[in-house]
Amino acid sequence: MKLQLGTRIGIGYGALIAVLLLTLVTSLLSFEAVRREAHVVRDVQIPTIRIANRMLVALDEMEESEFQYFLHTKTLSHWTKRFDDAQSGFETAFDQAQSLNPTSVERQNLDTIDRDFGTYLDVDARMREALTQGKPAAGQALNETVSESQADAIRDALNAYRHLNLTAIGGTEQRVEEGFSRTEAIAAASVILGALLGLILWWNAANDIVGPLTALQRATRAFAGGTYTPLDVPAARRTTELAALQEDFNAMAHVLSRTNDALQQANTSLESQVATRTAELADANAQLQASLAELRTLDKLKSDFMAVVSHELLTPINFISAYGTTLEDGLLGELNEEQQRAVQRMVEGSQRLTRMVRNILDFTEVESGRLSIRPEETDLAPIVADAVELIRPAATGKHQALQVFMPEQLPTVRVDPGRVSQILGELLDNAIKFTGEGGRIGVTVRVLAKDLEIEIADTGIGISPEAQTHLFEGFYQADLSSTRRFGGLGLGLALSNYLVTRMGGAITVRSRLGEGSIFTVRLPREDA
């Protein structure tokens, strides 16, 4: 039977669309069942798990606040407020859990949590009462025995509450998987049916459609090889569309043949131009390579020059520092008060200049890859104490309060002790330099799960957000004007960041203009 190409295609598409509609209907029915299962997971079980997690986080926050009652890092009212805020979050989450229509087993868990939480709050009230009555030992005993065990009981009940919903989600996932498996089986059967139907349609149309198209494909491949031969397939004339396509193809062959001749002529001219341009680019590349080699030589000369100058500067600086210390100690005669202040300023200046020169030396070694780090098992307590005491006279001179908060026992860290002293000296010097008269500087050491954290906080001028993004870059200065108030080369923080990173740690900063800065150094614990 002779049909137009559009009619043949329409019959094939109609059959395939019927198969696709069958597949779609069966898939929608299966997906509706899956959707109902997923609704329970999305609207009940997952929110329940999130609420349980929030209660666990709030419980941890309350435990941490109770632990801080006895450390005196801040006022008791600060930690009790933090406890009360966490308690409010816990109770809000608990109310939300009760509003989700829990099962009977979940209600039993919630009743247990409610009862244990009430007992936990009573114990906290007794601890606060002991502290207000001046009985910290009794309060701490309650914290280490009754409070911790009660918190553990609440945590166990919360974990059981979460486990119930996790188990329910697992069952729902299994049912969803079974639904998808059914859908896949139906879809596979529909695809097989559609393939059989398509094979039958192709077999009937092969002689009238596929033959001419195959001939057109061979001719197109010949086009790709540069042979523009017209096409003559008698079978194509039995279909109106294929006959028109064959005529258009032959017209295109004639046009391409003429265009190819013109392109051959243009290509000859283009090859000559490309050869000329290639030679020019080769000359330019040679000049760039020469310039790069010269820049590398200049960079090495700069580094060598900085190293030599720094070494040469250390000797006269050491003489100045030594004689200044001798004068300050009165070994060359008594000094009056004004002379004593002048000598003290001279010694401070020489010490600052020594640190700057050593920073330059270290920076040149960083650039050349020769800076040495010698890690060993180290107790940070004496290093922190020595660094603070070394800088304390400078703080006293500006009437600044310098405080240290450090636990009595610290785990060891594997670091280079000298480099840690260098880092602390740099951070403390910056804190004093950028904090005004009568300001406060605090050094806090904390023991974390895998690290020791050293926090240096000041009430100075603060750092802008823009400057914080470049703070650890070499030679960076937030104020580059010729009248800037604070000196320095901008190398100390860059070197500190490099040294901390090399020792497996990290250094961060938090700051707001006018509100001071907090630099935090984390070093990995030896036992972690």
Side-chain angles (χ1 to χ4, degrees), residues 351-360 362 383 386-388 390-391 418-434 441 443 456 458 471-473 475-477 487-500 507 519 521:
Q351 291 174 348
R352 187 179 299 274
L353 188 58
T354 300
R355 183 182 294 109
M356 292 169 61
V357 172
R358 293 194 181 278
N359 283 346
I360 294 175
D362 287 343
I383 295 177
D386 291 345
V388 171
L390 186 64
I391 205 72
R419 295 302 185 184
V420 174
S421 297
Q422 179 180 353
I423 294 166
L424 294 178
E426 185 65 37
L427 295 178
L428 287 169
D429 182 70
N430 282 346
I432 291 173
K433 179 169 64 174
F434 293 106
I441 299 168
V443 180
I456 298 177
D458 62 62
L471 200 59
F472 297 108
E473 298 175 3
F475 296 104
Y476 176 76
Q477 291 282 356
L489 297 175
L491 291 178
L493 290 178
L495 282 171
S496 298
N497 181 56
Y498 175 82
L499 293 172
V500 170
I507 181 171
F519 284 84
V521 176

Side-chain angles (χ1 to χ4, degrees), residues 407-421:
E408 294 182 0
Q409 296 293 330
L410 292 177
T412 59
V413 291
R414 188 165 186 80
V415 296
D416 186 329
R419 295 302 185 184
V420 174
S421 297

Side-chain angles (χ1 to χ4, degrees), residues 204-474:
N204 291 329
N207 293 329
D208 294 339
I209 298 176
V210 177
L213 291 179
T214 302
L216 180 63
Q217 182 184 31
R218 287 195 298 267
T220 304
R221 288 177 179 171
F223 270 34
T227 302
Y228 307 111
T229 305
L231 182 65
D232 184 15
V233 182
R237 301 190 185 99
R238 291 195 292 270
T239 304
T240 304
E241 293 87 351
L242 291 178
L245 178 61
Q246 180 171 277
E247 292 175 0
D248 293 340
F249 184 87
N250 292 336
M252 182 178 63
H254 291 300
V255 173
L256 287 176
S257 179
R258 292 194 300 269
T259 304
N260 181 63
D261 294 338
L263 285 175
Q264 291 293 335
Q265 296 176 0
N267 184 57
T268 302
S269 174
L270 182 61
E271 287 178 351
S272 175
Q273 296 178 18
V274 169
T276 302
R277 186 57 179 165
T278 301
E280 294 175 354
L281 289 175
D283 293 340
N285 184 59
Q287 294 176 6
L288 287 175
Q289 292 295 330
S291 299
L292 179 61
E294 183 178 358
L295 287 174
R296 288 173 176 168
T297 302
L298 291 175
D299 185 65
K300 184 177 184 304
L301 289 174
K302 180 263 295 180
S303 298
D304 293 344
F305 174 77
M306 290 177 65
V308 170
V309 169
S310 300
H311 277 293
E312 293 299 324
L313 285 174
L314 279 178
T315 300
I317 292 173
N318 289 335
F319 278 126
I320 295 172
S321 179
Y323 278 111
T325 304
T326 302
L327 288 170
E328 188 178 27
D329 293 340
L331 300 179
L332 299 180
E334 294 294 330
L335 303 177
N336 59 38
E337 184 176 351
E338 184 177 356
Q339 291 171 336
Q340 187 72 24
R341 284 197 301 269
V343 170
Q344 184 178 1
R345 294 295 299 276
M346 181 180 68
V347 172
E348 291 176 356
S350 66
Q351 291 174 348
R352 187 179 299 274
L353 188 58
T354 300
R355 183 182 294 109
M356 292 169 61
V357 172
R358 293 194 181 278
N359 283 346
I360 294 175
L361 284 172
D362 287 343
F363 193 77
T364 57
E365 290 185 354
V366 168
E367 288 188 325
S368 62
R370 299 194 301 267
L371 186 66
S372 62
I373 302 290
R374 299 180 176 85
E376 60 184 58
E377 187 175 354
T378 304
D379 181 7
L380 279 185
I383 295 177
V384 173
D386 291 345
V388 171
E389 292 307 314
L390 186 64
I391 205 72
R392 190 177 294 278
T396 303
K398 295 181 71 173
H399 306 290
Q400 296 170 345
L402 178 57
Q403 296 178 301
V404 180
F405 307 97
M406 183 165 50
E408 294 182 0
Q409 296 293 330
L410 292 177
T412 59
V413 291
R414 188 165 186 80
V415 296
D416 186 329
R419 295 302 185 184
V420 174
S421 297
Q422 179 180 353
I423 294 166
L424 294 178
E426 185 65 37
L427 295 178
L428 287 169
D429 182 70
N430 282 346
I432 291 173
K433 179 169 64 174
F434 293 106
T435 301
E437 294 279 341
R440 298 188 308 277
I441 299 168
V443 180
T444 305
V445 181
R446 300 187 182 93
V447 180
L448 306 181
K450 295 183 179 180
D451 305 297
L452 282 188
E453 182 180 88
I454 306 173
E455 181 181 278
I456 298 177
D458 62 62
T459 58
I461 61 175
I463 307 168
S464 68
E466 294 79 12
Q468 291 180 41
T469 60
H470 304 283
L471 200 59
F472 297 108
E473 298 175 3

